[in-house]
């Protein structure tokens, strides 16, 4: 996040969540929080939500057409290419 790579940040946090979710499902939050890894389950989940929100904001700034309905985006893109 500090390097301003919102897409990479979101994907790496999602990947970490996949690995952590198995332990969470099988052994619970306390198991993760007490593991030797410097990870706390709730902090991780909040980080994922934060990075996904930042990713959505980044996408809206870089690609404003993402906010438009598909039909409108197609019409606008055809009109600008002529």
């Amino acid at each position: 996040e500090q390097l301003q790579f919102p897409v990479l940040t979101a994907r790496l946090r999602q990947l970490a969540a996949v690995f952590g979710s198995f332990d969470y499902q099988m052994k619970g939050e306390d198991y993760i929080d007490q593991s030797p890894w410097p990870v706390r389950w709730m902090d991780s989940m909040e980080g994922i939500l934060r990075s996904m929100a930042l990713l959505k904001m980044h996408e809206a700034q870089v690609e404003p057409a993402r906010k438009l309905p598909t039909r409108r985006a197609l019409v606008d893109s055809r009109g600008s290419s002529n």
Side-chain angles (χ1 to χ4, degrees):
E1 291 173 351
Q2 295 168 351
L3 297 175
Q4 303 300 315
F5 293 120
V7 176
L8 182 61
T9 299
R11 299 301 176 244
L12 290 174
R13 285 190 185 269
Q14 287 173 330
L15 182 61
V18 168
F19 288 109
S21 294
F22 177 78
D23 284 342
Y24 179 77
Q25 182 179 11
M26 301 305 280
K27 299 179 181 178
E29 184 175 341
D30 291 335
Y31 176 81
I32 294 170
D33 290 349
Q34 295 169 6
S35 73
W37 294 96
V39 175
R40 296 194 45 79
W41 179 254
M42 286 308 295
D43 294 343
S44 299
M45 293 301 104
E46 289 170 0
I48 289 169
L49 294 174
R50 184 179 58 250
S51 66
M52 292 308 294
L54 291 172
L55 175 61
K56 296 297 179 192
M57 287 185 345
H58 172 75
E59 288 174 342
Q61 290 173 351
V62 174
E63 301 175 30
R66 283 185 180 260
K67 288 185 172 182
L68 298 175
T70 305
R71 185 178 303 265
R72 172 78 188 272
L74 290 172
V75 169
D76 288 354
S77 68
R78 286 185 180 169
S80 64
S81 64
N82 289 335

